[in-house]
Amino acid sequence: SPPEKAMVCFGNMFIELPKAKTREMLRQDQEELDEEINKLRKELRVKVNRLYEAQGKPELKGFNLNPMSAEEMKLINRILEG
């Protein structure tokens, strides 16, 4: 049977933790990273629009588009596969 523990790297050391705990930690980290990425994307859009406005250029078209979610991508792939 597969081992119930996983080796996880924290900085420059490896620690053996239960797989369930490791999976939960990774899921939480990914959620936090996704939130931070989305926050930075929103801030970037505002900053780019301000920059273009200050330069007297028209607003970028299509810049306010949002990426598709994983669920939307799965549905698109199903449609394309037939």
Side-chain angles (χ1 to χ4, degrees), residues 3 8 28 31-32 42 44 54-55 60 62 82:
V8 183
Q28 280 183 328
E31 285 178 4
E32 290 173 16
K42 288 177 185 175
L44 178 63
Q55 293 175 341
L60 286 175

Side-chain angles (χ1 to χ4, degrees), residues 21-67:
K21 174 79 171 165
T22 303
R23 187 175 290 118
E24 180 60 25
M25 288 172 48
L26 289 172
R27 187 191 60 74
Q28 280 183 328
D29 284 348
Q30 188 62 51
E31 285 178 4
E32 290 173 16
L33 289 171
D34 288 342
E35 287 175 17
E36 182 69 19
I37 288 169
N38 288 331
K39 179 182 150 203
L40 291 171
R41 282 181 178 152
K42 288 177 185 175
E43 291 174 3
L44 178 63
R45 289 175 182 153
V46 171
K47 290 176 182 179
V48 168
N49 282 334
R50 272 195 253 146
L51 176 63
Y52 268 67
E53 185 181 312
Q55 293 175 341
K57 294 181 180 179
E59 188 176 318
L60 286 175
K61 300 219 186 281
F63 192 66
N64 291 322
L65 298 174
N66 291 319

